[in-house]
Amino acid sequence: MSKPTSLFVIFFSLFVMSEAVFEDQVGKFDWRQQYVGKTLFAHFDSHSQSSKKLFLATDKNIFASFNSRTGELFWRHVDKAGPEGTIDILLLHGQGDNSGRLLRSWDTNMGGLNWEAVLDTGSFQAACFVAMQDTVKHVAVLKKAAISLHYLTNGHQKWVENLPDSDTVQYQAVYSGGEEEVYVLGVVPNSHLTIIAYSLEDGEIIKQVTWSRTLCVVVGHGVLMCVDTATLALYVDTLVCNRLYIPVLVSSQPHPARSPISEFFLQLGPDHHVLLQLNADGYTIAPLRDFQPSDVFPPQLYVHAFLKKDDSVGYRVLVQTQDHALTFIQQPGRVVWTREEALADVVTMEMVDLPLTGTQAELEGEFGKKADGLFPMVLKRLSSQVILLQAWLAHLWKLFYEARKPHGQVKNEVTIETLSRDEFNLQKMMVMVTASGKLFGIDSKSGSILWKHYLENVQPNAVFKLIVQRTTAHFPHPPQCTLLIKDKDTGLASLHVFNPIFGRKSHIAPPALPRPILQSLLLPVIDQDYAKVLLLVDDQYKVTAFPSTKNVLQQLQEMASSIFFYLIRSDQGNLSGFRLRKDLSTERIWEVVLPTEVQKIVAVNGKRPNEHVHSQGRVMGDRSVLYKYLNPNLLAVVTESTDAHPERAFVGVFLVDGVTGRIIHEAVQRKARGPVHFVHSENWVVYEYWNTKSRRNEFSVLELFEGTELYNSTVFSSLDRPHLPQVLQQTYIFPSPITTMEATLTEKGITSRHLLVGLPSGAILSLPKMFLDPRRPEVVTEHSREENLIPYAPEMPIRTEWFINYNQTVARVKGIYTAPSGLESTCLVVAYGLDIYQTRVYPSKQFDVLKDDYDYVLISSVLFALFFATMISKRLAQVKLLNRAWR
Amino acid sequence: MASVPRSFLLLSIIPTILILCADFACCNTGRKTGDGLDTDFSGFSVPLEHSFEVDDVSRFRMRGALQLRGGRETSVSLSQSQLSEEDRNTLKEVAAVDGLYKIRVPRVSLTDRQTERQMDGYLTAFVRACSLVESHLSDVITLHTDVSGYLIGVSIVTIPGACRGTEVEDEVDLEAFNTTLTIIVPTNAPQPETALFIERMDIEHEKRGKPQEQKSFFAKYWMYIVPLVLFLMMSGAQDQSGGGAANGGGR
């Protein structure tokens, strides 16, 4: 008994093992792009003229080094997400460092960490390098109540001093001019300034000066500016009471051992800068140039000026624009490279089929047009056949022509003009929506950005929903995507309609939406232009249709009684269902309330509308069929208890029918807490949670079956399914936390399913659904072996061969998108987060494709050999027969 | 589970259906057991209302009263009146225009009587009126509660559930409801079955392990080892004597 079991397990592990990538396939079907996010600090490596390094610290808590010639990443450090990893300052002197609670120093060549020093608690104010006789040896860190000096070589603290009167004085700046003193500037609001000079050697206070506002002048629009001649420190305050904008002074100190440049910028408004110069007498300030608001995008500039060999001034500029694009510009205004850092924060995406080629479209068009008689139809068919023939000949000629060229030159660039669908529809257009409001069209095969479109006036807290209203299948109508942009606070929404292939805004005017939008739903109803109808429900439960042509409204009226939708108000724990009336008003027909005192709704997930399920049931060991409960309207609602105590915390899973509001299943996972990640597909729900008692992550799978008999095998109606399904559930231990989860999707749903699990380590695990099957038997029987069920094991394995991204780590995976391709075996996968990774997966291996290394020569030579052998033997047989006849 | 005897119709008394929740092991409310004992075991009743209108505007009327009994064994029974002549006609009309038959119950807690007043609002469910008519008013009403015993949802289905357009001639069929009533409390999702698995592994180990332990390597292959050792000893002895001879020769 035991031996077959173990053999069985080994068999299965072998069966699943063979899906890793071969070494020569690396990068063939997949690509990865690494991003860093919006730049906060940038430094040029100015030590040597030929240096190509550029150092950035970003809002995503990333410290990175770029090649300034190409824009490629040398190295990158991804710190903890959230406020824990926030980079406060980036200083550069041969070595870079950043600080907060930690002070770190990195090697700029390799990106290795030199040292790390833990700082005392207290909010960070400023930091600077301290130099003596042109050599930088220390770094000074100013906290709210203390100043500390660290050695630059090893990070050890030289001294730390408490700042005097730190409860009243706001210390703001620390400065060192290359002498043996460190100056700290503090401000008592509306009173005076304090300047303290510390000795570099032992941290002793050398002198303490208090300035009242005698040296202050009013500059520009009610801005008070104070100048300290001794230290060249500057202080600015507004006199105007309504502090809409606090002026900022921007100065630059090229070397820590020398004084800062006497020219400086004063930022008076979000887009108003004044270039000022401190005169030689040290008292007066002369404005050099006033930069009035002129630019639509106030860019963030990092300028690096240097002396060229012929003593002329050269410069390089790094520009950060509002759409998070990072552009590097060199002297004659030439753009060297641009990085689209908006892609570090992809919110949602869709994959759209590419259009057909001109000839294919011609053929399609033939069927699209109205029939006008037999003879013209024949002519049209013939003409399109001729065009096809021409295209084929042209293709052959091109192949022949290219074959003569050396191999390296044949590299056809993907441009927007040459885009066309490939044989197996493996190449698609990835439409990506980023948090900054910039839309991208990316070719899924190469990863090159084919179009981009920046949406202005998108609020930072906007939520996006991308809807494909018309696919590429309806030639000559162009495909159409609609982006619903909703302000999270007000709920007011707007629509952006565009062509997903070219990124152009559509000429179709979207409807005005004066009221907050609660819900949007894409109906299977299509208008005369083959665009699916989008229904938008506002806060008065009125429905707006888009497109709202007469045809659509008429169809809606006819179908009104069969259009149901649901609304969820998670703050009230309220789920309610509505039905459309003929006059496009709605009526509430069901209501389920989960009391918020007990549990709160954290996530609701329906099924994907483009999902196909090939088999209606599962054949069991005794040859009977267990039918799946395939309710397309089923919603999985996940709740978390409000009581966070580890003994009483629970995670609730409710399966609710979205049409009737019937609770199909209600399960409670005790001693569990979120974050819950779950996938709802076919007849199953898989969710992952944290077990508070055992302190581990667990996976649970729910499967729904109708039983061995179908109630109504022809059509599924939520209104006519009186019997509740059987629910099977099993739970497993998962040895890693997860960040996101998605299921593979294929064209017809024949291929077995895998779960794609994003792990915090940056790996993407392709976990066969076979391992998450509630029918896995605890005791192996004849039937279960017949059914190929794996015996139950409480722990889910993580095999490194299952990582679909081998060593291409995807940092901070936020979402995984799956799309079917034209091949049933193949599913396209895009993982996005900080990085973007695209690949293909074959959950049941490539059963419909010949292998890459398929031996065509062998098979054809065998075929030919057999053919000739038959010919020869036939001839020989004939001769022999003839000879025998003569005998 | 229960049905209304036809003989009762003449008497026109209120038929009472009592259904006991089959599921009492799961009524774990997550609080101390002492709390459960304190609660009122006499039970309480909440109204069950229904609405069926030709114009689909909800006007809820009393259908019956649900007798709820909380505590360890949650049970529910329903006492409901018959449909009046007028109601029967309306229901048929609503069925003819494919209208909806809606029911609602107020949000209550089955265990905690104090908080009952604080909650407002109703839980609503619906079924197509035609299927109710065609099933001769035989419906299944299910009440769902959460872990703390709050009612969170109600559902109604008819058996059979389809609308085939068959006429219901017999007025008698539409007089009294034939209701099946259940309460469903959340099921506890399973934990990973580690204990059973370890037990099974142990058994397997024992099965596999015993014969191996009994026979050591030497015990298994002594028939090969002994001749080999003997052979080596023999040859070694020969070598030694030969070596001695050689040494002697060299001297």
Side-chain angles (χ1 to χ4, degrees), chain A residues 377-449:
Chain A
M377 286 286 275
V378 172
L379 272 186
K380 210 178 276 173
R381 161 48 64 96
L382 283 178
S383 69
S384 50
Q385 298 275 15
V386 168
I387 290 167
L388 267 184
L389 188 71
Q390 268 178 354
W392 187 64
L393 287 175
H395 177 69
L396 280 186
W397 172 246
K398 201 178 154 198
L399 273 183
F400 175 70
Y401 192 74
E402 273 173 3
R404 298 193 322 189
K405 277 192 195 169
H407 222 64
Q409 287 180 16
V410 191
K411 201 178 181 186
N412 34 355
E413 276 292 300
V414 183
T415 57
I416 212 151
E417 284 77 29
T418 57
L419 273 186
S420 66
R421 200 180 301 178
D422 60 336
E423 222 172 331
F424 298 125
N425 201 5
L426 289 163
Q427 188 180 9
K428 293 197 180 200
M429 177 65 86
M430 291 158 53
V431 180
M432 296 194 127
V433 182
T434 62
S436 64
K438 198 168 186 182
L439 309 182
F440 291 91
I442 299 175
D443 170 36
S444 77
K445 199 172 185 180
S446 61
S448 52
I449 297 169

Side-chain angles (χ1 to χ4, degrees), chain A residues 189-398:
Chain A
N190 305 321
S191 171
H192 60 273
L193 309 176
T194 306
I195 296 153
I196 308 165
Y198 285 93
S199 159
L200 195 60
E201 281 307 308
D202 49 3
E204 204 180 305
I205 295 176
I206 295 170
K207 60 183 175 193
Q208 188 167 359
V209 193
T210 307
W211 294 86
S212 44
R213 279 180 180 165
T214 48
L215 276 177
C216 295
V217 284
V218 177
V219 181
H221 194 71
V223 176
L224 185 73
M225 196 161 104
C226 300
V227 182
D228 174 10
T229 48
T231 59
L232 292 180
L234 291 143
Y235 171 62
V236 175
D237 198 4
T238 43
L239 293 177
V240 188
C241 288
N242 51 343
R243 286 186 162 212
L244 285 174
Y245 188 81
I246 302 161
V248 181
L249 275 173
V250 185
S251 69
S252 83
Q253 187 178 12
H255 192 271
R258 288 180 211 118
S259 304
I261 303 168
S262 59
E263 286 82 12
F264 60 94
F265 274 106
L266 176 66
Q267 195 179 2
L268 291 168
D271 42 12
H272 186 188
H273 292 76
V274 184
L275 181 65
L276 301 167
Q277 188 186 32
L278 186 74
N279 290 343
D281 57 2
Y283 285 92
T284 50
I285 289 167
L288 291 181
R289 195 169 164 189
D290 192 358
F291 295 93
Q292 287 293 338
S294 56
D295 218 347
V296 190
F297 309 99
Q300 214 172 327
L301 285 175
Y302 300 94
V303 186
H304 175 224
F306 54 90
L307 277 181
K308 285 205 254 182
K309 278 175 190 143
D310 55 348
D311 274 1
S312 61
V313 178
Y315 63 84
R316 298 184 197 135
V317 189
L318 189 67
V319 187
Q320 161 93 58
T321 42
Q322 209 174 37
D323 60 350
H324 297 189
L326 199 63
T327 314
F328 190 78
I329 302 167
Q330 226 160 20
Q331 179 111 49
R334 189 170 60 90
V335 174
V336 184
W337 48 261
T338 305
R339 284 181 66 91
E340 293 294 347
E341 290 301 337
L343 284 170
D345 202 353
V346 174
V347 181
T348 178
M349 68 165 293
E350 283 288 339
M351 269 189 167
V352 184
D353 292 353
L354 291 176
L356 301 162
T357 55
T359 44
Q360 285 168 319
E362 186 72 30
L363 261 187
E364 289 282 319
E366 186 192 334
F367 299 108
K369 283 167 202 156
K370 288 270 183 295
D372 39 11
L374 190 67
F375 191 64
M377 286 286 275
V378 172
L379 272 186
K380 210 178 276 173
R381 161 48 64 96
L382 283 178
S383 69
S384 50
Q385 298 275 15
V386 168
I387 290 167
L388 267 184
L389 188 71
Q390 268 178 354
W392 187 64
L393 287 175
H395 177 69
L396 280 186
W397 172 246
K398 201 178 154 198

Side-chain angles (χ1 to χ4, degrees), chain A residues 579 593 666 668 670 731 778, chain B residues 56 145 152 187-190 200:
Chain A
R579 183 164 85 151
V593 186
E666 196 183 338
V668 170
R670 301 251 174 215
T731 308
E778 256 145 35
Chain B
D56 267 350
T145 69
I152 57 162
T187 52
N188 276 330
R200 212 183 67 204

Side-chain angles (χ1 to χ4, degrees), chain A residues 33-39 58-62 76 81-82 320 322-325 339-349 431-440 442 449 454 458-464 483 810-815 830-837:
Chain A
Q33 286 170 357
Q34 290 185 311
Y35 294 96
V36 293
K38 191 185 169 190
T39 308
T58 68
D59 64 338
K60 301 253 181 253
N61 305 344
I62 285 156
R76 183 178 76 167
Q320 161 93 58
Q322 209 174 37
D323 60 350
H324 297 189
R339 284 181 66 91
E340 293 294 347
E341 290 301 337
L343 284 170
D345 202 353
V346 174
V347 181
T348 178
M349 68 165 293
V431 180
M432 296 194 127
V433 182
T434 62
S436 64
K438 198 168 186 182
L439 309 182
F440 291 91
I442 299 175
I449 297 169
Y454 181 58
V458 170
Q459 303 300 319
N461 58 349
V463 280
F464 301 92
L483 181 68
V810 189
R812 294 196 199 141
V813 190
K814 210 165 60 179
V830 181
Y832 55 87
L834 192 61
D835 303 341
I836 298 173
Y837 180 74

Side-chain angles (χ1 to χ4, degrees), chain B residues 180-201:
Chain B
T180 313
L181 194 62
T182 43
I183 283 193
I184 292 186
V185 297
T187 52
N188 276 330
Q191 302 282 333
E193 284 283 352
T194 38
L196 219 112
F197 181 75
I198 291 167
E199 205 175 290
R200 212 183 67 204
M201 289 297 278

